[in-house]
Amino acid sequence: MTEANGVNPGANGVNPDKDLNAENLPGRRGDQGEPIRVQRGMFGANNGGDTTGYGGLVRPVRLPGQATRPYGGWFDEVADELEGALEEQSLLPENAIEKTVVDRGELTFHIAREHLPRVARTLRDDPALRFELCTGVSGVHFPGDKGRELHAVYHLRSITHGRMIRLEVSAPDSDPHIPSIVDVYPTNDWHERETYDFFGLIFDGHPALTRIMMPDDWQGFPQRKDYPLGGIPVEYKGAQIPAPDQRRSYS
């Protein structure tokens, strides 16, 4: 079924082009969440290089905000157990957990970086939690998220209880240090090295924090959003294709 303008309204009968809160539109949050920047054009190109036809698009980019209780399902159980276990260690939960986010059916705890190792160990060892496996850490760079531009995201899985949650930790560009959790989850060794290599996050206490993909003498961190494209000119069928940062802009 389609509307007269040819737009498929989706399985729930909602036209996602007209409803900013449609669940099947990742990134669109209406007026909810924390605004970090204004998106202009489809990909944010600001040098005339946007050839998508969406150069006039202007909308705020928001990160999901603090969720309110009840979170729903087993999320409340995990949150209660974690907060209780931290209190038993004489650590106020609000000092360790900056916010709890429930977004698109997923649970994320935003953790103050100085408390990350203790929270990770608690999630691993507490019998009611038992998140035995960390499947790695991913870096994210939000240049517009002032004071916390660099994020590290950890995916934890409980094999015992069949659950998965996230931990998210942030650090400013000016002080990109986060404690390593290799002592808690040894499989994070290479993941932390890769995140350091591409994003410049320094994992304090890592046993051998060296580059893992780029040459040891490489300058900069290639997956940061402010990293210059650069590149190498390519010859193709007798024609020379310039590097990305040397190609002409489109108006």
Side-chain angles (χ1 to χ4, degrees):
M1 167 182 161
T2 59
E3 294 185 348
N5 60 4
V7 175
N8 187 341
N12 58 1
V14 175
N15 184 342
D17 289 333
K18 295 181 179 179
D19 185 356
L20 291 180
N21 295 307
E23 293 182 359
N24 61 336
L25 284 181
R28 289 195 176 187
R29 306 184 186 280
D31 295 327
Q32 307 302 313
E34 302 177 15
I36 60 170
R37 66 185 176 89
V38 175
Q39 174 80 19
R40 300 183 183 278
M42 181 63 76
F43 301 111
N46 55 14
N47 61 353
D50 190 337
T51 61
T52 65
Y54 288 87
L57 177 67
V58 178
R59 68 182 178 91
V61 175
R62 304 175 188 270
L63 298 181
Q66 168 78 39
T68 56
R69 298 264 194 165
Y71 303 141
W74 52 265
F75 292 176
D76 291 279
E77 179 185 342
V78 169
D80 290 340
E81 292 291 348
L82 176 58
E83 292 173 7
L86 294 176
E87 287 177 343
E88 291 175 0
Q89 301 173 55
S90 302
L91 176 59
L92 291 175
E94 57 266 30
N95 290 341
I97 305 173
E98 295 176 338
K99 68 176 178 179
T100 301
V101 172
V102 176
D103 188 56
R104 293 175 173 80
E106 298 176 332
L107 175 65
T108 304
F109 294 108
H110 288 247
I111 306 299
R113 55 179 169 170
E114 63 270 21
H115 296 301
L116 174 62
R118 183 184 294 193
V119 171
R121 192 175 299 276
T122 300
L123 286 165
R124 186 194 69 179
D125 294 346
D126 189 280
L129 297 168
R130 282 281 187 259
F131 286 91
E132 306 99 331
L133 176 64
C134 179
T135 58
V137 55
S138 302
V140 189
H141 185 212
F142 293 114
D145 194 11
K146 300 303 181 184
R148 51 182 191 181
E149 293 87 356
L150 295 169
H151 292 234
V153 183
Y154 303 81
H155 296 82
L156 306 184
R157 183 175 292 277
S158 171
I159 300 172
T160 298
H161 300 293
R163 297 167 173 172
M164 188 178 75
I165 64 171
R166 284 196 191 92
L167 300 182
E168 188 163 339
V169 183
S170 62
D173 265 336
S174 58
D175 181 27
H177 290 263
I178 290 177
S180 171
I181 59 171
V182 169
D183 284 348
V184 182
Y185 295 109
T187 53
N188 259 30
D189 189 335
W190 284 20
H191 293 279
E192 289 184 2
R193 285 181 58 192
E194 184 177 46
T195 304
Y196 161 71
D197 193 359
F198 288 150
F199 291 91
L201 275 165
I202 300 171
F203 294 91
D204 296 327
H206 188 283
L209 193 63
T210 58
R211 289 193 183 270
I212 193 171
M213 301 290 286
M214 308 303 293
D216 290 341
D217 59 352
W218 192 266
Q219 299 297 311
F221 306 103
Q223 287 192 350
R224 288 197 185 190
K225 292 180 180 176
D226 55 4
Y227 187 81
L229 287 175
I232 301 172
V234 177
E235 186 174 336
Y236 181 70
K237 292 187 176 180
Q240 194 78 9
I241 302 174
D245 62 342
Q246 298 168 1
R247 297 174 190 169
R248 70 183 180 93
S249 297
Y250 296 86
S251 58

